[in-house]
Amino acid sequence: KLDACAPKSMRPLPAVIIAHGGGWEAGDKVTYVTPLFEPLAKEGFAWFSIDYRLTPQVRNADQLEDLREAIRYVRANAKRFNVDPNRIAILGESASGQLVAQLATEKFPGVAAVVSFYGVYDFLPMATSFAPRSIPARLFGVTELNDQTRDVMKQFSPLYQVKAGMPPMLLIQGTADRLHAQAVVFEKELTRVGAQFDVIDVVGAPHGVENWEGHAEWLSYKTKLVEWLKRTLR
C-alpha cells in the first residue's frame, strides 16, 4: 500500500519512496514520516509513502523484499505517475533506515540516491536479549548468539555490507539520539571503502523527525534534504 503525491509537471519528476520507522513492528505510511511530505512536494518531487509487512508476522528479509517491490512498482508505472524511473531516491528512518541502507549496499536497480534518518546499521550491539520480542528473535529468528547467528545479523547489518560504487547516501542524525553512535561508526566505514555520502547532524535533536517539529533550531534539515536531493537527482 502507498500514498502518493505527484505535482503537476510537463517533464517527468524525480521521485522519493518513503518507508516509515517503528522498530520493524509498528507504524504505517502516515505515521512518523509526515513532516517530510510538504517540503518534498513544494520542491517538485513526487513522493510515495509505503507500507511494508511488520514483525513478528514476517522477518527482516521479507520487509526488504517489500521495499524492493515498491521500487519495482514505481518504476513500472513511471509514465502513469509522471516520474523519471532513473531518478528515484529511497528514504527511511530508524528501522527503515536500516532497510534503505541495506538496499544501498545491494546497488538495487533504479535506486539513484538513499537517505537514512537515524538508521540502525549494526545489529550485533542489539544482541543482548533473545526473548521472543527481542530484535534478534523477531527479525531473524535468532535465539542464541553463536558464529552462525552472528553471521546472519551481520548479513543484514549495512555496516558490514558497504562497498564502493553504491548510490550516493545522505545520513541525517540528531546528536542527542542514542543511535548517533551507530551513525558515526557507519560514516567511518563508508569513508574507508570510498563510498559517496554526506551527513547532516541536527545538533541536540532526539530520535524521530516528528519530535523535531516546533523546534526552529532543528528544522533546517528540511531545506538541506531537498537541496541534496536536487543535486543528487539532477
Side-chain angles (χ1 to χ4, degrees), residues 144-217:
E144 64 175 326
L145 191 61
N146 54 43
D147 289 345
Q148 182 178 2
T149 56
R150 187 178 287 106
D151 286 344
V152 169
M153 287 188 287
K154 289 175 71 173
Q155 178 186 348
F156 290 92
S157 296
L159 177 67
Y160 304 100
Q161 308 302 324
V162 294
K163 55 185 72 70
M166 298 191 312
M169 294 190 69
L170 175 63
L171 309 180
I172 304 178
Q173 185 75 38
T175 61
D177 189 334
R178 60 184 175 81
L179 289 175
H180 184 256
Q182 284 221 7
V184 172
V185 175
F186 191 54
E187 291 162 21
K188 290 179 179 178
E189 185 63 9
L190 290 169
T191 300
R192 187 189 70 81
V193 302
Q196 182 180 347
F197 74 100
D198 292 285
V199 177
I200 298 173
D201 280 330
V202 184
V203 178
H207 193 76
V209 291
E210 75 277 16
N211 296 319
W212 301 356
E213 291 296 288
H215 296 269
E217 70 274 22

Side-chain angles (χ1 to χ4, degrees), residues 4-206:
C5 174
K8 291 182 179 179
S9 173
M10 296 296 293
R11 300 178 62 184
L13 300 168
V16 182
I17 297 173
I18 303 168
H20 64 83
W24 301 276
E25 66 176 347
D28 59 35
K29 61 191 176 183
V30 293
T31 56
Y32 310 128
V33 292
T34 53
L36 305 175
F37 298 165
E38 184 178 7
L40 290 173
K42 278 187 173 180
E43 293 299 326
F45 291 93
W47 57 260
F48 303 82
S49 187
I50 68 168
D51 286 333
Y52 54 90
R53 292 170 292 171
L54 303 173
T55 65
Q57 284 73 28
V58 300
R59 299 276 168 81
N60 193 242
D62 302 303
Q63 297 173 322
L64 285 163
E65 183 55 29
D66 289 347
L67 180 53
R68 295 186 194 100
E69 185 58 31
I71 298 166
R72 295 186 191 105
Y73 178 83
V74 171
R75 295 193 79 204
N77 291 275
K79 289 186 178 180
R80 172 187 170 191
F81 295 121
N82 191 35
V83 300
D84 186 337
N86 297 311
R87 291 196 295 160
I88 294 175
I90 54 175
L91 183 156
E93 53 104 31
S94 194
S96 62
Q98 176 261 334
L99 297 177
V100 299
Q102 185 72 2
L103 283 198
T105 71
E106 297 178 7
K107 305 179 186 179
F108 192 76
V111 175
V114 178
V115 180
S116 175
F117 282 79
Y118 39 84
V120 172
Y121 307 114
D122 185 3
F123 284 113
L124 290 183
M126 298 181 170
T128 57
S129 170
F130 302 95
R133 288 199 67 252
S134 68
I135 286 175
R138 281 192 294 111
L139 271 64
F140 312 112
V142 169
T143 57
E144 64 175 326
L145 191 61
N146 54 43
D147 289 345
Q148 182 178 2
T149 56
R150 187 178 287 106
D151 286 344
V152 169
M153 287 188 287
K154 289 175 71 173
Q155 178 186 348
F156 290 92
S157 296
L159 177 67
Y160 304 100
Q161 308 302 324
V162 294
K163 55 185 72 70
M166 298 191 312
M169 294 190 69
L170 175 63
L171 309 180
I172 304 178
Q173 185 75 38
T175 61
D177 189 334
R178 60 184 175 81
L179 289 175
H180 184 256
Q182 284 221 7
V184 172
V185 175
F186 191 54
E187 291 162 21
K188 290 179 179 178
E189 185 63 9
L190 290 169
T191 300
R192 187 189 70 81
V193 302
Q196 182 180 347
F197 74 100
D198 292 285
V199 177
I200 298 173
D201 280 330
V202 184
V203 178

